[in-house]
Amino acid sequence: MVKPPIPLTTLLGKTVREIAKLRGGGSALPGLFVESIDKDFLSTRLAQLPQGVVLISGTNGKTTTTKMVVELLESQGLKVFTNRTGSNFTRGVVAALLNDVDMQGKLTADIAVLELDEAHAVRFVKAVQPRHSLLLNVMRDQLDRFGEIDATAALLSTVAEHTTQTIVINREDPRLVKVASNLPATKVQYFGLDPSLQHFFPDDDSMRNQTLAVVSKLPASSVLKQVDGHKAKIALHKQILEVNLKLDGVYNVFNAVAAISLVSAILGKDLDVAKLIHSLEAITPAFGRGEILTVDGQPLELVLVKNPGGFRLGLQSFNPKGYATMIAINDNYADGRDMSWLWDVDFDSLKPSISHVSGIRAYDMSLRLQYDEIEITAVIPDLADALKDFIAHNKSTPKRIYCSYTAMLALRRELSKITKVDHIS
């Protein structure tokens, strides 16, 4: 196939994008189309950026951390391109580009900050070398796609090897520290936790009574020192930042530490710390990541869950008291087909009962809850029907839905019919 000129590729891609929107979604479809007719569209568009590309990957926290990094860089005066839909395959990045480039294919931005799924990050870095990368963690997640945890770590090692300037790494993750040991020390920076906070982050190895080599406390550019609800103390080099965040959950505070470390690495001495703190305190949750909507005058919170570590942290971070709870689990490709990880989550905090269970794997989820002796008011696999029934039976009560990725997207579409939901495509 003869590659069409950039203006024609852009026109065709934007046309497909508009058609996809009229059909009710498919945010990655235009990217898939453009990739099929011009495999260099992504690399040539991103090559225009004067401050290059920043890549964020890992198992948990990509979308929230990417949103933080984007807003922190914007607070420093940079114009940032990002794939804010959370479609973290390369085709999702191309789809986002189609939204931002003009009809000549020109991208007006200073820097790109992109979140990418571990496997697609490897494909991406072979076409576009990032100047900076952030590696968050390695946990069980969609093992039917990625294989064992060590295989996922190997994917992130490839990302690190293709990064030209700085790799920011979670020093609390032994597998990522092992990745760092094979990199030039001058290219690696760490973020981390105070030892007193490590119990908030149980890992899959300890859960299975397996142990990895204890990680010595490597020097870190940013460290979470204290956390009390929304308030936190974060060490950034020799400064202590006291912040009051709008984000819930200690894991989101730790994501903020990762974001601060990355932004500091990008800007160096040009970082305005006062602006950084002001921006950090204004950041709200990314869609579906503790996002709070309003239905019938009551809050309805969406919490994305896609692996045992993330689900455990979510249950630990959100008190069920006073809330009606629903769990919605799908097993579409983007969720991962292997849902056996649900048996690795302790649901005791939800006792004695929850309101609704829904999704393709509703009955599997119900069985899992039954083993923890948690009663369920209703099991309704159809998401639209379950949401309607959940709201109807809990009109005067705050609500929370733990949901897998495609269930979250479907629920947001249904909720957009009855309340304000931020547009993400």
Side-chain angles (χ1 to χ4, degrees):
M1 177 185 292
V2 177
K3 183 171 69 176
I6 286 292
L8 180 57
T9 299
T10 305
L11 174 62
L12 292 172
K14 285 179 176 288
T15 301
V16 172
R17 181 177 182 276
E18 292 305 310
I19 293 171
K21 287 169 61 177
L22 290 172
R23 295 180 64 181
S27 64
L29 176 62
L32 187 62
F33 169 76
V34 168
E35 282 185 324
S36 71
I37 63 172
D38 184 358
K39 63 181 179 63
D40 298 321
F41 183 84
L42 178 65
S43 58
T44 54
R45 298 309 93 205
L46 294 180
Q48 304 173 27
L49 300 173
Q51 296 197 41
V53 173
V54 178
L55 192 152
I56 296 171
S57 194
T59 308
N60 281 339
K62 292 186 292 293
T63 298
T64 296
T65 308
T66 299
K67 183 176 189 289
M68 290 181 185
V69 172
V70 169
E71 294 188 29
L72 293 178
L73 288 174
E74 288 176 340
S75 77
Q76 304 289 314
L78 295 178
K79 183 173 176 56
V80 184
F81 164 72
T82 188
N83 53 331
R84 73 175 298 268
T85 66
S87 179
N88 52 32
F89 293 1
T90 52
R91 59 180 177 264
V93 179
V94 175
L97 271 172
L98 288 169
N99 185 53
D100 283 27
V101 298
D102 63 21
M103 290 307 297
Q104 299 302 312
K106 181 174 175 56
L107 177 63
T108 305
D110 299 308
I111 192 169
V113 177
L114 307 173
E115 67 156 294
L116 282 164
D117 148 297
E118 296 96 317
H120 282 260
V122 170
R123 177 183 171 188
F124 177 88
V125 299
K126 290 177 180 178
V128 180
Q129 286 191 306
R131 290 193 192 178
H132 308 276
S133 60
L134 169 63
L135 307 185
L136 293 166
N137 42 59
V138 180
M139 304 177 76
R140 284 187 70 211
D141 183 42
Q142 302 188 28
L143 295 185
D144 48 307
R145 286 207 287 125
F146 294 159
E148 293 301 322
I149 299 176
D150 289 332
T152 305
L155 296 174
L156 294 179
S157 179
T158 301
V159 171
E161 290 164 2
H162 283 77
T163 301
T164 62
Q165 290 189 17
T166 311
I167 308 106
V168 179
I169 287 178
N170 179 0
R171 77 172 184 191
E172 313 303 334
D173 190 309
R175 289 182 173 84
L176 290 182
V177 171
K178 185 177 180 180
V179 167
S181 69
N182 295 316
L183 299 170
T186 55
K187 294 177 68 173
V188 177
Q189 293 187 20
Y190 294 98
F191 68 97
L193 291 165
D194 187 87
S196 65
L197 300 175
Q198 286 185 303
H199 68 280
F200 284 114
F201 296 86
D203 58 43
D204 293 314
D205 296 293
S206 62
M207 183 182 63
R208 289 179 170 73
N209 297 317
Q210 298 171 350
T211 57
L212 292 174
V214 176
V215 178
S216 60
K217 284 304 173 188
L218 297 160
S221 61
S222 59
V223 176
L224 179 58
K225 304 294 288 184
Q226 294 180 26
V227 60
D228 180 12
H230 292 255
K231 295 181 180 180
K233 289 185 179 180
I234 300 169
L236 175 62
H237 302 297
K238 295 181 179 181
Q239 293 180 272
I240 297 293
L241 313 183
E242 296 190 19
V243 297
N244 191 359
L245 303 173
K246 292 184 177 179
L247 302 166
D248 285 311
V250 65
Y251 62 96
N252 273 332
V253 181
F254 195 37
N255 289 336
V257 176
I260 288 171
S261 188
L262 178 60
V263 170
S264 175
I266 294 168
L267 295 177
K269 294 180 180 180
D270 293 330
L271 177 67
D272 185 323
V273 175
K275 288 181 179 178
L276 180 96
I277 294 173
H278 181 75
S279 176
L280 187 64
E281 293 187 328
I283 294 172
T284 55
F287 73 94
R289 278 74 172 178
E291 175 184 29
I292 301 176
L293 310 175
T294 302
V295 177
D296 294 334
Q298 295 290 337
L300 188 153
E301 191 167 8
L302 295 173
V303 181
L304 176 69
V305 293
K306 59 193 184 78
N307 54 53
F311 213 151
R312 288 196 302 268
L313 284 169
L315 291 170
Q316 186 180 55
S317 296
F318 299 104
N319 188 343
K321 186 177 181 180
Y323 277 74
T325 300
M326 172 172 156
I327 300 177
I329 303 295
N330 280 351
D331 66 350
N332 294 313
Y333 177 76
D335 305 296
R337 301 288 192 184
D338 179 5
M339 304 307 292
S340 63
W341 61 263
L342 291 170
W343 291 88
D344 296 332
V345 181
D346 181 356
F347 292 96
D348 280 350
S349 65
L350 297 178
K351 285 182 175 179
S353 65
I354 69 169
S355 181
H356 283 60
V357 172
S358 184
I360 297 169
R361 299 297 286 268
Y363 291 107
D364 299 80
M365 187 68 246
S366 301
L367 178 64
R368 174 67 192 90
L369 293 173
Q370 180 182 331
Y371 271 80
D372 276 359
E373 300 180 343
I374 296 169
E375 296 181 3
I376 306 164
T377 302
V379 179
I380 305 174
D382 183 85
L383 288 165
D385 291 344
L387 179 64
K388 183 177 179 181
D389 198 65
F390 176 58
I391 291 171
H393 281 82
N394 300 283
K395 280 191 174 292
S396 60
T397 307
K399 303 164 191 65
R400 181 175 295 124
I401 305 177
Y402 294 97
C403 42
S404 65
Y405 183 70
T406 66
M408 181 264 290
L409 295 179
L411 290 169
R412 289 182 95 259
R413 284 195 295 271
E414 292 301 316
L415 287 164
S416 70
K417 300 173 183 177
I418 59 174
T419 191
K420 182 181 178 181
V421 176
D422 285 345
H423 186 58
I424 61 172
S425 62

